[in-house]
Amino acid sequence: MPATETIVKPKLSRQQYLDLYYFMRLNREVEDTMTRLFRQNKIVGGLYSSLGQEAISVGSAYALEKKDWMAPMIRNIGALLVKGVPPRDIFTQHMAKYTSPTKGKDGTSHFGDLENLHIVSPISMLGDLIPVLTGVAMAGRYLGQKIVAMTWIGDGGSSTGVFHEGLNLAASQKAAFVLILENNQWAYSTPVRRQVPIENLADRAKAYGISSYIVDGNDPVAVYATAKEAVDRARAGEGPILIEAKTFRRRGHAQHDPAEYVPAEQREYWEKRDPVTLYEKFLTAEKILDAKVKKGIEDKINTLLEKDREFAENSPMPPAELAAQGVYCTGDDCHKIRPKWERPIAEVTPPKSSVEPVWIVEGFGRGKTSSRENAPIHFGDTQPSADEPAAKTKSVAKPATKPPARKPAPAKSAARGKARG
Ligand SMILES: Cc1ncc(C[n+]2csc(CCOP(=O)(O)OP(=O)(O)O)c2C)c(N)n1
Ligand SMILES: [Mg+2]
């Protein structure tokens, strides 16, 4: 059974170190800007924070190649930025502006880009992206693309059924899929120890016979190096890999949650381990970052965010008359991706594909011990047999000496009548 691994941090190039720093700072500044916009009542819907978790989003997405695919969760704005989404898309999206990727139809980071950046839009149902991204990885293999698919999940989300079903599917298909499990100690107000009876969530991988890693989620270099190794291994055909990144959710679940349930000592412990502060110290000690380089990066971020925030604020809300447009996929006006039908489309779509919901189990539910009040529960089922009067109350009858005569119900009419009842 594969053991959980940790890696020795490699040496990166100066540019790589600085890229990680830039994106972590950008991630934080984008979210700080949105917090101010939220307080000015300019954000539509909820606002989630990844404060203190930036090293995970940035470090893991930085390990992907341009052709690779990902699906971020709500706390992965850093991953969107690394993959190439401009801050203006994130601002307009959160403000439900007409200029946003969803034209104001959805909020938070619920948008994707299938054509260019290979980003599958997040969905709220925790865990559901795992089988979806497994499918993306499998499709990539059928098409000979050598791509890797990545998504993220929380400690809470790792307890959903679909997490396990998805990981099992990925493992049995040997999909080139990397799952980053962000253990930030809390799922809303539930501490991880109250919902998972194991110490390391990476151990969940053992159930599926796949490799796993544990990494310090507040160290961008460690996260990047671990994710890179996992991505390389997945691409080489070793199957899916689970990475548990240990961290802490520094804010409440969303803006509305003051998170007063978090013990002060726990907060204090993690506040001292702020990933940006720690990384700055490291870069300074390594002589990669000095006041001048830092100022250059800050100026670049400020200029970009100022421009993009203004663009978002000055953008119009969507016209009311378009409210119903683009809500349901109608084919051509929605996307250009075409399904490849192996069978004639008419054969697999209604009305041809429809079948009568009839299930006939002869004699089901009319044995002598049946009360006939609860059973039959299935349509197409029993009629009282000719030799037995219908029992009104539950009774235990003597064993039958000969099987009762069977007279199947007229299937279709019974089906229709009961299916609607
Ligand atoms: C299947 C499912 N159950 C419940 C929810 C409601 N919900 C949204 S976020 C959340 C907490 C998630 O905690 P965790 O997975 O640890 O992620 P974190 O918020 O800590 O990043 C819950 C319960 C949901 N979206 N989907
Ligand atoms: Mg959590």
Side-chain angles (χ1 to χ4, degrees):
M1 199 164 284
T4 295
E5 302 168 45
T6 44
I7 62 148
V8 180
K9 278 200 283 180
K11 209 160 168 50
L12 309 186
S13 71
R14 183 184 147 79
Q15 192 53 50
Q16 286 177 312
Y17 281 128
L18 287 176
D19 280 353
L20 289 174
Y21 180 67
Y22 169 77
F23 283 116
M24 279 172 70
R25 288 292 307 268
L26 183 62
N27 184 168
R28 186 161 292 189
E29 298 298 329
V30 163
E31 292 195 24
D32 281 352
T33 304
M34 288 203 293
T35 305
R36 289 193 290 277
L37 291 167
F38 184 89
R39 290 181 185 158
Q40 293 164 10
N41 224 3
K42 292 173 180 166
I43 297 280
V44 177
L47 180 65
Y48 303 85
S49 166
S50 73
L51 180 73
Q53 298 179 223
E54 297 92 339
I56 301 174
S57 291
V58 170
S60 48
Y62 195 67
L64 293 175
E65 290 181 14
K66 199 169 182 311
K67 66 179 177 182
D68 292 334
W69 283 71
M70 67 175 213
M73 292 289 283
I74 47 173
R75 298 192 207 285
N76 299 119
I77 280 178
L80 287 173
L81 295 168
V82 171
K83 200 79 168 87
V85 172
R88 74 158 57 181
D89 281 357
I90 297 166
F91 293 150
T92 51
Q93 176 75 9
H94 279 78
M95 295 168 88
K97 293 296 179 97
Y98 190 45
T99 49
S100 77
T102 59
K103 294 192 164 60
K105 289 272 158 49
D106 207 339
T108 67
S109 47
H110 284 203
F111 67 96
D113 177 358
L114 303 179
E115 306 258 336
N116 300 310
L117 298 178
H118 296 174
I119 300 171
V120 175
S121 173
I123 29 181
S124 290
M125 297 75 187
L126 299 174
D128 278 29
L129 288 171
I130 297 170
V132 171
L133 270 284
T134 297
V136 169
M138 288 164 63
R141 183 168 60 211
Y142 295 142
L143 296 168
Q145 293 175 340
K146 282 247 164 223
I147 54 157
V148 175
M150 177 183 280
T151 190
W152 292 258
I153 188 78
D155 43 283
S158 78
S159 294
T160 59
V162 72
F163 170 95
H164 297 279
E165 294 164 21
L167 217 45
N168 184 60
L169 173 71
S172 54
Q173 292 292 330
K174 271 197 158 234
F177 169 62
V178 176
L179 179 59
I180 315 288
L181 200 169
E182 293 190 62
N183 181 357
N184 64 6
Q185 318 299 325
W186 294 87
Y188 225 117
S189 55
T190 306
V192 65
R193 68 185 152 74
R194 287 265 181 104
Q195 58 108 1
V196 193
I198 50 175
E199 179 72 20
N200 296 313
L201 299 181
D203 286 347
R204 298 224 197 256
K206 288 181 188 163
Y208 310 106
I210 63 170
S211 296
S212 62
Y213 295 84
I214 293 178
V215 66
D216 174 357
N218 287 24
D219 179 342
V221 179
V223 173
Y224 163 69
T226 307
K228 180 77 172 86
E229 188 168 300
V231 164
D232 288 349
R233 286 178 63 184
R235 203 186 306 281
E238 286 192 41
I241 291 176
L242 175 68
I243 299 174
E244 179 188 3
K246 294 191 190 275
T247 186
F248 177 68
R249 195 195 68 201
R250 295 255 293 278
R251 295 249 193 270
H253 178 67
Q255 284 285 328
H256 61 269
D257 172 22
E260 280 154 358
Y261 45 79
V262 173
E265 320 81 71
Q266 187 185 34
R267 183 175 295 290
E268 208 180 304
Y269 174 90
W270 287 97
E271 295 285 345
K272 287 192 198 124
R273 286 162 181 76
D274 177 74
V276 175
T277 312
L278 290 181
Y279 193 44
E280 265 178 16
K281 272 192 194 149
F282 166 80
L283 292 179
T284 310
E286 293 288 313
K287 303 209 182 325
I288 297 164
L289 192 73
D290 58 20
K292 195 168 155 237
V293 178
K294 190 173 168 188
K295 170 122 188 4
I297 289 173
E298 283 169 353
D299 287 348
K300 187 177 163 191
I301 291 174
N302 289 341
T303 310
L304 173 65
L305 295 193
E306 190 58 22
K307 185 169 65 70
D308 282 12
R309 183 192 51 75
E310 262 181 32
F311 173 84
E313 290 212 50
N314 293 328
S315 288
M317 296 304 276
E321 54 275 24
L322 299 185
Q325 213 177 71
V327 177
Y328 294 102
C329 169
T330 45
D332 284 343
D333 60 339
C334 177
H335 57 72
K336 292 194 195 71
I337 296 171
R338 289 277 145 269
K340 198 175 135 203
W341 297 97
E342 295 291 336
R343 286 164 60 193
I345 190 164
E347 194 181 307
V348 291
T349 49
K352 251 193 166 178
S353 67
S354 304
V355 286
E356 284 284 352
V358 177
W359 181 23
I360 304 167
V361 182
E362 213 182 304
F364 179 85
R366 53 176 207 154
K368 289 209 168 185
T369 54
S370 164
S371 69
R372 289 204 193 88
E373 295 209 328
N374 298 321
I377 53 172
H378 298 278
F379 36 84
D381 206 359
T382 81
Q383 297 261 311
S385 58
D387 57 347
E388 294 171 90
K392 282 270 179 290
T393 52
K394 193 175 177 199
S395 63
V396 179
K398 280 183 237 145
T401 47
K402 66 173 181 110
R406 283 177 181 171
K407 192 167 78 185
K412 282 192 181 172
S413 56
R416 285 204 187 95
K418 293 215 173 112
R420 286 180 195 150

